[in-house]
Amino acid sequence: MIKRSWMTAVVALFAITSLYPLIWVVLQSLKTDTDFFANQWGLPERFIWGNYATAWEQANFATYYANTGLVTLASLVGGVAVCIVAGYAFGKIRFRGRRSLQVLFALVLFVPSPVLLLPVFFINRDLGLLNTYAGMIGPYIASIVPMGVLLMQSSFAGLPNELSESAKIDGCGEWRTFYRILLPLTLPTVATLCILQFIGVWSEYMWAFISNTNPKMYTIAVGMAQMASKKYVYGFGPVFAGMVITSIVVILVYVVLQKYFVQALSEGAVKG
Amino acid sequence: MPPRQAVKKQLLAYAMIFPALFFFALYLVFPLVKSLQMSFYDYDGVGPLNSFIGLGNFAEGFRDSRFYEAMGHNLILMVVELVVSMSVAFVLAYFLFRGVFAWRWFNVVLFLPYIIPLAVSAVIWSLIFEPTIGMLNQLLGALGLDSWQRVWLGSQDTSLLSVILVWIWRTIPFDMLILLGSLLKIPKELIEASKIDGCTGIRTVWSIILPLMLPTIVLLSIISIANDFRSFDIVWIMTQGGPIGSTEIASTLVYKLGFQENHYGYANAVAFMVFVIVTAMVGLVSLILRSWNGPNERAGG
């Protein structure tokens, strides 16, 4: 029998390795560079809040935030809506070709992205979508489709058929039955999809990096990485501040919605 | 149902599927076809595809040491991830399951490395690994372990190790979450019963808990393999595959062959070979682990 305090000690040790790098970043983000070189373990000599202003203004974080917010919102609303309606059709309507389409969707669940990298670039180049919002939003919507449709389909299929039948007897058409009666009952799954898509798109780096050569189109992940590669120009303090600015929204959303996050990620993995 | 209504219902179904199918076809299926098509051509990225070279690119891939090195690094990354991340994650999940003081707090904190954007993790860790100002070398110095100090990311001997360390840091929380979810589904009576039968803690884990978790472990392995071959951000931001290719993985190699060397046909052939290998591995792993599992326990997970 392992003692409870021993187990706590082991877990606490890992908690430190998880948390300390993040605390370290926050501490350095408030220091001058000389302070950082001399002493990176302690508290700042003076708190240099100006590092945040420097990062925000000089490294254009305002632009990155606007881009990321817009792209995330559009990919989230678009992606989730697309999955909801398709999930309903797959889960509740019998139609020709349903099985084969389902198999097709499932096959693509584990496609490694290196194989998509170049062709998606060329497709968007030919469509004139490089350096545009649409060029990011389209692939991001596609990225949630296979898993999202699967989750929504099983959520709709799990609802008893009597519900929709009695709604129809009451005079609801197919669309009203879906929208008014069944959709509200699948909201937990919808929330799961929203969380998965939010965290996926907000932090996405690879595609945003390849798709945009124009710095005005950068998302925060790309802008922050570009800034970090010029740390001797901007100074270390602002680079650390940039990392905090990049992570803060995701961390806040995570802390507030922690319960749903855990549920979303495990549901996404286990059922998807 | 009268036939007209049935037809209407079918049409509605197709209309509802259409948007999902549109994005799916344009950005997931069509790219796969296009990738395969481009891999039969010698293409520098300008103008139409016109110099067909058959299987030439694939033949080149089989002879190219860069391809084998990148796949090798990816495989090392994958094996270490599967063994180390999953074992550590299992221990943490089991401890949290058995009851640790303040476990709710630990649950929130332990998950943070998975929440912060991967690009941020990559930058944080490249600063930690910095040879002179980096936290790691300073820590080793303070502990009197000066001989352990390294140019972590700048030397071929330690660069892959350093990158893998960050990948483990990142994947443990996710593995832990999934394993903990599976542990919590095990009926308490089973564990109590095994104790009454005189099973010690480790035996209970080995012969009761692990077999029950097998479906989850299979699933997690498959997800992990797919994710290991998807990774790009960490390596790209930390080392760009260097020094001298010592951290090159499939995704960075494909990126370089295409966007930096304008060898797009060949880059697509390499990407397609990676795709086939990963798909085969995922299929193989699920087959092997499922046959172990036996038919009677397939329902769980």
Side-chain angles (χ1 to χ4, degrees):
Chain A
M1 202 48 194
I2 320 165
K3 276 208 188 114
R4 206 171 167 201
S5 43
W6 271 106
M7 296 197 294
T8 311
V10 173
V11 172
L13 191 73
F14 267 91
I16 292 170
T17 63
S18 307
L19 190 59
Y20 188 71
L22 309 182
I23 295 176
W24 182 72
V25 169
V26 176
L27 284 179
Q28 314 318 320
S29 74
L30 295 167
K31 289 179 186 174
T32 59
D33 280 11
T34 30
D35 196 6
F36 167 61
F37 290 132
N39 145 46
Q40 55 174 284
W41 298 96
L43 289 172
E45 267 180 355
R46 277 181 306 123
F47 286 82
I48 312 293
W49 297 101
N51 284 340
Y52 283 83
T54 310
W56 186 262
E57 281 154 21
Q58 292 186 10
N60 290 322
F61 268 97
T63 312
Y64 306 153
Y65 250 88
N67 291 341
T68 311
L70 194 133
V71 169
T72 306
L73 188 71
S75 318
L76 196 153
V77 173
V80 173
V82 155
C83 293
I84 290 174
V85 285
Y88 177 79
F90 277 121
K92 280 291 178 209
I93 307 179
R94 310 210 153 272
F95 59 92
R96 293 183 68 164
R98 187 169 85 151
R99 279 304 296 167
S100 31
L101 275 174
Q102 271 177 321
V103 171
L104 187 71
F105 273 52
L107 276 179
V108 186
L109 268 177
F110 294 114
V111 173
S113 45
V115 76
L116 299 173
L117 194 78
L118 300 166
V120 172
F121 175 83
F122 281 105
I123 290 168
N124 272 357
R125 187 195 66 176
D126 295 344
L127 293 173
L129 292 178
L130 297 177
N131 285 314
T132 66
Y133 293 124
M136 286 187 268
I137 295 165
Y140 290 156
I141 290 181
S143 71
I144 187 97
V145 160
M147 187 200 278
V149 171
L150 201 70
L151 287 176
M152 285 314 300
Q153 172 203 333
S154 63
S155 183
F156 278 116
L159 300 175
N161 277 328
E162 293 83 53
L163 262 175
S164 39
E165 274 155 24
S166 65
K168 273 180 204 134
I169 292 167
D170 290 347
C172 283
E174 190 77 37
W175 177 258
R176 266 180 73 94
T177 313
F178 154 69
Y179 187 72
R180 274 297 178 56
I181 313 287
L182 298 182
L183 183 59
L185 294 171
T186 62
L187 282 184
T189 313
V190 174
T192 293
L193 286 192
C194 290
I195 286 174
L196 289 177
Q197 183 73 334
F198 166 73
I199 190 166
V201 175
W202 186 274
S203 311
E204 206 279 341
Y205 173 79
M206 183 173 73
W207 177 245
F209 165 69
I210 290 163
S211 171
N212 301 304
T213 44
N214 178 358
K216 286 211 169 71
M217 294 302 296
Y218 283 170
T219 58
I220 39 173
V222 179
M224 186 276 309
Q226 296 286 345
M227 183 193 181
S229 66
K230 292 185 210 133
K231 50 186 176 282
Y232 291 101
V233 180
Y234 289 109
F236 283 81
V239 167
F240 281 110
M243 285 195 260
V244 177
I245 294 174
T246 306
S247 318
I248 193 75
V249 172
V250 201
I251 291 181
L252 281 181
V253 174
Y254 165 64
V255 170
V256 172
L257 298 176
Q258 200 255 344
K259 213 177 80 193
Y260 300 97
F261 253 77
V262 169
Q263 188 208 332
L265 288 162
S266 50
E267 201 178 335
V270 173
K271 287 197 191 140
Chain B
M1 200 182 292
R4 258 199 65 189
Q5 223 177 321
V7 170
K8 230 178 117 186
K9 207 168 167 181
Q10 298 253 317
L11 286 179
L12 179 71
Y14 292 125
M16 289 179 97
I17 285 165
F18 178 76
L21 201 60
F22 171 78
F23 287 103
F24 178 78
L26 179 60
Y27 286 121
L28 291 171
V29 179
F30 183 47
L32 284 177
V33 178
K34 199 169 166 74
S35 169
L36 189 62
Q37 182 209 13
M38 285 172 86
S39 63
F40 291 115
Y41 288 84
D42 191 11
Y43 185 51
D44 63 2
V46 186
L49 292 173
N50 48 21
S51 81
F52 183 81
I53 53 166
L55 293 170
N57 284 325
F58 292 97
E60 193 183 338
F62 281 115
R63 286 194 308 265
D64 189 349
S65 61
R66 284 168 85 190
F67 171 67
Y68 289 104
E69 278 169 24
M71 282 310 280
H73 295 150
N74 245 144
L75 286 172
I76 296 172
L77 181 87
M78 181 188 93
V79 171
V80 176
E81 205 266 68
L82 288 179
V83 175
V84 178
S85 290
M86 276 225 225
S87 325
V88 174
F90 179 78
V91 171
L92 290 174
Y94 181 67
F95 285 179
L96 286 171
F97 168 69
R98 287 284 306 277
V100 158
F101 297 109
W103 72 274
R104 271 173 206 287
W105 287 101
F106 283 125
N107 222 358
V108 174
V109 168
L110 285 171
F111 206 58
L112 280 172
Y114 189 77
I115 290 298
I116 59 166
L118 203 49
V120 175
S121 313
V123 175
I124 295 178
W125 282 92
S126 31
L127 289 167
I128 290 176
F129 284 131
E130 253 271 356
T132 47
I133 52 155
M135 182 164 80
L136 182 60
N137 275 351
Q138 292 208 352
L139 183 67
L140 290 170
L143 293 173
L145 294 168
D146 297 52
S147 60
W148 287 34
Q149 289 174 341
R150 292 283 183 281
V151 188
W152 296 101
L153 294 171
S155 128
Q156 287 179 72
D157 305 326
T158 48
S159 54
L160 187 62
L161 177 80
S162 310
V163 169
I164 289 177
L165 211 69
V166 182
W167 189 241
I168 292 175
W169 184 74
R170 159 91 179 175
T171 48
I172 284 175
F174 181 73
D175 295 1
M176 185 192 79
L177 173 91
I178 304 297
L179 293 173
L180 183 61
S182 161
L183 273 169
L184 289 170
K185 279 195 202 120
I186 296 175
K188 284 257 190 289
E189 303 85 63
L190 273 177
I191 297 169
E192 294 305 320
S194 79
K195 271 190 205 139
I196 294 165
D197 290 350
C199 276
T200 56
I202 290 179
R203 252 207 86 141
T204 311
V205 171
W206 188 249
S207 36
I208 313 274
I209 294 179
L210 276 178
L212 285 173
M213 288 174 70
L214 207 56
T216 309
I217 294 172
V218 174
L219 196 76
L220 188 55
S221 311
I222 295 173
I223 297 171
S224 302
I225 293 172
N227 282 338
D228 293 342
F229 280 87
R230 270 183 198 145
S231 58
F232 172 83
D233 313 15
I234 284 200
V235 170
W236 189 253
I237 293 173
M238 288 177 74
T239 64
Q240 303 211 342
I244 328 180
S246 58
T247 54
E248 197 85 88
I249 56 171
S251 55
T252 56
L253 180 63
V254 169
Y255 177 88
K256 281 185 190 168
L257 289 173
F259 294 114
Q260 291 186 344
E261 297 167 26
N262 290 331
H263 206 152
Y264 289 99
Y266 180 50
N268 268 301
V270 167
F272 211 83
M273 283 157 79
V274 174
F275 166 59
V276 171
I277 293 170
V278 175
T279 310
M281 262 191 317
V282 166
L284 207 67
V285 168
S286 53
L287 271 181
I288 293 174
L289 291 171
R290 272 209 187 128
S291 64
W292 257 6
N293 194 15
N296 48 343
E297 284 180 13
R298 209 166 281 170

